[in-house]
């Protein structure tokens, strides 16, 4: 009887603990929303560049060795409500800074047709990697700064090192524009 009581108490405590952990953060849509936190990394504390590659939504292959300057990398997927909110903002930012900054999307869940439909609907005209099968782009940043909440946006410096991360949807261009311009001026 005493063992059953201890087991019941442990189960109750485990239920309380999970409400405070990741399980309590997952909504009906089955994902963890970013919290809007901006993390900047000082140049002397930046890790080596992450190497990653993958198939592009519109065909062809991408390799991070092709990046040749400051880059914005956005992790997204089509059914993610915050991704749908920020897609027009990123398209606007790309129109503003696309001549000075490389833009790259990393689609974490969709196939080519679904990703292409999303990009067309929201006016996204920069390339995106399909990372749904291998997660190689996501894994490349493990241990540096994980894009563990979608959407997440990384700013890579001219050497390809992570300079900043925005976790969650960006609702206007000001934060990313400031981060990108700071990197362009370095």
């Amino acid at each position: 009887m005493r063992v059953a009581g201890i087991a019941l108490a442990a189960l109750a405590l485990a239920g309380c603990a999970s409400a405070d952990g990741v399980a309590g953060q997952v909504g009906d849509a089955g994902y963890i929303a970013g919290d809007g936190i901006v993390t900047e990394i000082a140049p002397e504390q930046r890790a080596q560049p992450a190497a990653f590659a993958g198939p592009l939504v519109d065909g062809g292959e991408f390799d991070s060795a092709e990046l040749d300057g400051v880059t914005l990398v956005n992790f997204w997927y089509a059914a993610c409500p915050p991704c749908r909110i920020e897609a027009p903002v990123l398209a606007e930012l790309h129109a503003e800074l696309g001549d000075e900054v490389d833009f790259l999307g990393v689609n974490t869940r969709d196939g080519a047709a679904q990703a292409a439909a999303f990009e067309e609907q929201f006016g996204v005209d920069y390339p995106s990697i399909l990372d749904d099968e291998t997660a190689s782009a996501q894994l490349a940043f493990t241990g540096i700064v994980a894009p563990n909440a979608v959407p997440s946006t990384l700013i890579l410096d001219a050497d390809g090192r992570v300079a900043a991360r925005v976790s969650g949807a960006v609702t206007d261009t000001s934060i990313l524009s400031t981060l990108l311009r700071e990197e362009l001026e370095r």
Side-chain angles (χ1 to χ4, degrees):
M1 184 74 166
R2 183 166 188 222
V3 172
I6 293 171
L8 185 58
L11 184 59
L13 289 173
C16 293
S18 69
D20 292 335
V22 170
Q25 298 173 28
V26 177
D28 294 336
Y31 68 92
I32 300 172
D35 54 11
I37 298 290
V38 176
T39 304
E40 292 186 72
I41 302 168
E44 64 276 3
Q45 295 178 342
R46 295 176 186 170
Q48 292 300 310
F52 59 99
L56 293 168
V57 169
D58 62 358
E61 291 288 321
F62 173 84
D63 188 317
S64 61
E66 299 170 15
L67 298 174
D68 62 355
V70 174
T71 304
L72 180 145
V73 181
N74 177 255
F75 293 82
W76 66 279
Y77 65 94
C80 158
C83 299
R84 300 174 80 75
I85 290 169
E86 81 171 359
V89 174
L90 294 173
E92 179 184 343
L93 189 62
H94 179 253
E96 178 186 336
L97 293 173
D99 291 339
E100 302 171 72
V101 174
D102 290 330
F103 279 67
L104 177 69
V106 177
N107 185 296
T108 62
R109 293 192 184 178
D110 304 320
Q114 189 173 9
F118 177 94
E119 290 178 343
E120 183 177 337
Q121 179 180 359
F122 292 102
V124 175
D125 62 358
Y126 51 85
S128 284
I129 295 173
L130 295 170
D131 204 39
D132 60 317
E133 292 185 14
T134 66
S136 63
Q138 297 166 76
L139 291 171
F141 294 99
T142 300
I144 300 171
V145 58
N148 57 350
V150 176
S152 283
T153 303
L154 304 179
I155 305 297
L156 307 182
D157 66 16
D159 296 324
R161 303 174 306 161
V162 176
R165 174 183 141 208
V166 178
S167 176
V170 176
T171 57
D172 65 57
T173 62
S174 63
I175 292 169
L176 290 175
S177 179
T178 299
L179 293 168
L180 290 167
R181 290 185 191 285
E182 286 174 359
E183 283 309 311
L184 287 169
E185 292 172 5
R186 287 190 202 270

